[in-house]
Amino acid sequence: MLRLNKHLFTETKTDSGALTVLGTLIHRFTSPGEYLVAVSRAGKPVGQRLIVVDAQYHSMRAVIDLASITEGSGDTACSCEPETFDCIRPDGYAIFHVSRGRGGYAVTISSLTDDKGDQGDKRTKGDKRDTRTKRNKSDGHEFDSATLTEYDTVSVTLFRPGTYALRNELTEHEVTVEVSYPDGERPGEPVRVTCTDRGFSPDGITLAPAQGLVVDIETKARVTVTLREPHKRATAEVSGDRPPRGARTRAGRPSVDPRKHSVDRLKRELAHVDRPSELRLIHAIERTSRNRSDARTAIEERLRAVNDRN
C-alpha cells in the first residue's frame, strides 16, 4: 500500500549539508575511477557505497536513497552489477535523495584511485569486496555536501505555501522564494537558479506548490532553504481590512475566489463580475492571501471599468 510521506508537508527546511525529504543532491563525475560514498547523520557514520566510473558501463546515473543505505550495501545497484556497487560512465551523475523520515544526512565522496590512476584489478559481477579499509589518497573530497562546488546541483521541492529564504551559508548571500497556494493547475517547469560568488540569479523567485527549484552551483556553497513565514488562507472575516457588509454576496462570499485561480484564469472570471462592492471584496482577499501584483492590478482595472460604466 502506498504511504504518503508526511514529512513532505511538515518539514520547513532543507540543507545540502543535512539533506531532508525536500531536497535532492546531484554530482557529476568528470574522471573515471572508483569512488567511496560516505553517509553520516548528526556527525555519526550511517553507511557507505561504492561508485565505479568507467567507459565500459552504459548507465548515466546512480540514484542513492540516503534513508535506505546501510554499511556496505545499497538499494540502487545497476543491472550489470546486482547488489554490489553502482557503475556509471564518465560524465555520469550520482543523485542523492531521502525517501522517508526527517533526514539530516551529509554525504562525502572520496576517490579510491591511487596517484597513478590505477584502480587495481577490474571488478567483476558478484564482487563484494569490503571497501571500508580503503583510504582516500587525494588531498580532499571529490564531493562534500556541506561544501558544494562546480558540477554540483541542488534540487528542492516545496509543498507548503509561504515565504522561504534560499541561502548560501558560506557567502551569506540570500534571496526570497515565494510559494503560492495551489490554483488547481499543474505546476510549471522547474525554476532554475544559479549560485555564484556574487549571489543568486535571478534574485526573486515565485513557485507553485510542488514546482521544482533547481540551483546550479558555480562557487563554493552550502545551500539551505528555510521557511520564514507560512502563508495563511485569509478571508474577509479574518483579515484586518474587512469590507463593508454590503460587499458580500448572498452566500457571504464573492462569486470569484482569487485564491483558486491563476492570474490568467482570474482575468477571465473577472469579466463576469459587475458589482463594485464584490470586486473590492475580491481585491481584499487577494491582497491578504496570495498578494500577487498582477492579480491586484487586474482586479483594480476591472473595478475602474465597472465604476466608469456606472
Side-chain angles (χ1 to χ4, degrees):
M1 181 178 65
L2 181 63
R3 293 184 177 180
L4 185 65
N5 188 346
K6 67 177 182 179
H7 294 285
L8 288 172
F9 304 96
T10 59
E11 282 296 322
T12 59
K13 179 178 181 178
T14 192
D15 179 346
S16 67
L19 198 67
T20 69
V21 293
L22 301 180
T24 300
L25 299 176
I26 305 171
H27 174 70
R28 180 164 70 91
F29 292 89
T30 58
S31 302
E34 293 186 357
Y35 298 90
L36 184 65
V37 177
V39 182
S40 62
R41 186 179 186 186
K44 298 180 180 180
V46 172
Q48 55 187 15
R49 182 73 175 160
L50 184 66
I51 296 179
V52 179
V53 180
D54 195 283
Q56 67 175 309
Y57 300 121
H58 58 80
S59 178
M60 281 296 296
R61 63 180 185 177
V63 182
I64 299 176
D65 179 8
L66 301 180
S68 299
I69 194 169
T70 57
E71 190 73 26
S73 66
D75 64 340
T76 56
C78 72
S79 59
C80 57
E81 303 284 356
E83 299 181 359
T84 56
F85 51 88
D86 294 285
C87 47
I88 58 176
R89 55 191 286 185
D91 287 334
Y93 297 83
I95 302 174
F96 302 99
H97 71 103
V98 180
S99 66
R100 59 185 181 273
R102 299 197 62 179
Y105 298 97
V107 181
T108 60
I109 302 177
S110 302
S111 173
L112 300 180
T113 305
D114 62 25
D115 296 335
K116 297 181 181 180
D118 182 14
Q119 301 175 35
D121 53 329
K122 293 289 184 180
R123 292 186 175 272
T124 59
K125 186 175 181 179
D127 185 356
K128 298 185 178 180
R129 288 180 294 175
D130 189 353
T131 61
R132 284 173 288 184
T133 59
K134 296 284 187 178
R135 294 291 183 270
N136 180 13
K137 297 183 179 181
S138 64
D139 293 334
H141 295 299
E142 163 75 14
F143 171 83
D144 185 343
S145 64
T147 309
L148 304 175
T149 58
E150 190 177 9
Y151 303 123
D152 296 331
T153 300
V154 180
S155 176
V156 180
T157 304
L158 303 172
F159 292 85
R160 186 173 179 180
T163 301
Y164 293 77
L166 169 62
R167 180 179 174 87
N168 181 353
E169 299 293 343
L170 302 186
T171 64
E172 298 186 348
H173 288 109
E174 181 177 310
V175 295
T176 298
V177 179
E178 294 287 346
V179 178
S180 64
Y181 273 101
D183 57 9
E185 300 180 4
R186 286 189 174 184
E189 293 295 317
V191 174
R192 300 198 77 97
V193 178
T194 303
C195 176
T196 70
D197 56 1
R198 296 184 299 275
F200 294 93
S201 178
D203 59 2
I205 306 160
T206 301
L207 302 173
Q211 183 178 9
L213 174 65
V214 179
V215 184
D216 296 312
I217 306 300
E218 294 185 359
T219 188
K220 289 185 177 181
R222 178 168 181 166
V223 174
T224 61
V225 181
T226 306
L227 178 65
R228 295 293 193 219
E229 182 178 359
H231 288 175
K232 297 180 179 179
R233 279 191 175 274
T235 65
E237 287 78 13
V238 299
S239 68
D241 186 12
R242 182 174 179 174
R245 183 176 298 276
R248 299 175 183 276
T249 65
R250 179 176 296 179
R253 64 187 65 182
S255 59
V256 176
D257 189 340
R259 299 168 298 182
K260 297 181 179 180
H261 301 303
S262 65
V263 174
D264 290 339
R265 176 67 182 275
L266 177 61
K267 291 178 180 178
R268 295 195 295 269
E269 295 292 330
L270 289 173
H272 305 290
V273 181
D274 295 315
R275 297 174 56 190
S277 59
E278 186 177 1
L279 287 166
R280 286 194 289 270
L281 176 57
I282 295 171
H283 187 273
I285 294 175
E286 173 63 31
R287 181 167 52 81
T288 56
S289 58
R290 302 178 68 178
N291 200 26
R292 298 165 294 180
S293 60
D294 290 346
R296 296 198 314 272
T297 299
I299 300 169
E300 292 162 2
E301 289 176 351
R302 178 59 181 170
L303 179 58
R304 283 195 294 268
V306 171
N307 285 330
D308 291 341
R309 187 176 60 192
N310 295 336

